[in-house]
Amino acid sequence: MNLPNKLTVMRVILIPFFVFFMMAPCFEGYGNYIAVAIFIVASLTDLLDGKIARKYNLVTNFGKFMDPLADKLLVCSAMICLIETGQLAAWIVIIIIAREFIISGFRLVASDNGVVIAASYWGKFKTTFQMLMVIVLILNIQNTFFQILGVVLTYIALILTVVSLIDYIVKNKDVLKEQK
């Protein structure tokens, strides 16, 4: 278990703590600040694990599988909490989660054919904007700039979600053709 993989595992371990502080009524007023701090730390582990793995040639099959899964678990958990708090529409989260299932299925089919589908820049931009959106929405700062910023980040994240899905499908359509 190398350092990048430990960071990935740490990100997964942080998710229940994030959800607890985000949703526990006993921390009303402060829980969202603790939750956003946990979310930021977890998000930074995503940045660090990839950089360390590539720089020191520590890329592993575990990391290739778990890193994107950890990202999906973190971001999807946050978005589901934001539905519960009324800060994010369910239809947006459904589209984003559906994309994640489609890409995961696509990767599974590709893997069965011995093909590894690497993360694209569109996917990385999507994840970055989803994380920024989550941070701004959790903070829920009551001023016009931050309210508009939250809406803009939400729609940018949604658009990038759809664009990255289309990009994955177009670039890897041959994977599906091999299944006939």
Side-chain angles (χ1 to χ4, degrees), residues 40 50 73 91 109 115 118 123 131 143-144 149 156 164 166 168 174:
I40 290 169
L73 289 170
W91 69 269
V109 169
V115 177
M131 288 176 172
N143 86 24
T144 306
L149 180 61
I156 290 172
S164 69
I166 293 167
Y168 273 106
D174 294 338

Side-chain angles (χ1 to χ4, degrees), residues 33-127:
Y33 295 115
I34 298 167
V36 84
I38 293 169
F39 186 85
I40 290 169
V41 168
S43 297
L44 289 174
T45 67
D46 179 37
L47 180 70
L48 282 175
D49 67 10
K51 286 192 181 297
I52 293 168
R54 285 184 295 278
K55 183 175 181 177
Y56 296 103
N57 197 26
L58 297 172
V59 176
T60 64
N61 287 334
F62 177 84
K64 286 180 193 175
F65 175 75
M66 279 304 295
D67 181 60
L69 181 60
D71 296 342
K72 289 170 183 37
L73 289 170
L74 176 65
V75 173
C76 291
S77 296
M79 290 188 298
I80 292 167
C81 289
L82 289 166
I83 292 172
E84 178 70 20
T85 63
Q87 294 169 273
L88 197 54
W91 69 269
I92 292 171
V93 176
I94 290 167
I95 290 170
I96 291 171
I97 291 175
R99 181 256 184 220
E100 302 306 341
F101 275 106
I102 291 166
I103 296 302
S104 294
F106 218 77
R107 283 191 164 131
L108 189 59
V109 169
S111 175
D112 283 348
N113 291 325
V115 177
V116 175
I117 299 177
S120 73
Y121 283 106
W122 286 113
K124 292 178 183 195
F125 292 143
K126 175 233 13 144
T127 301

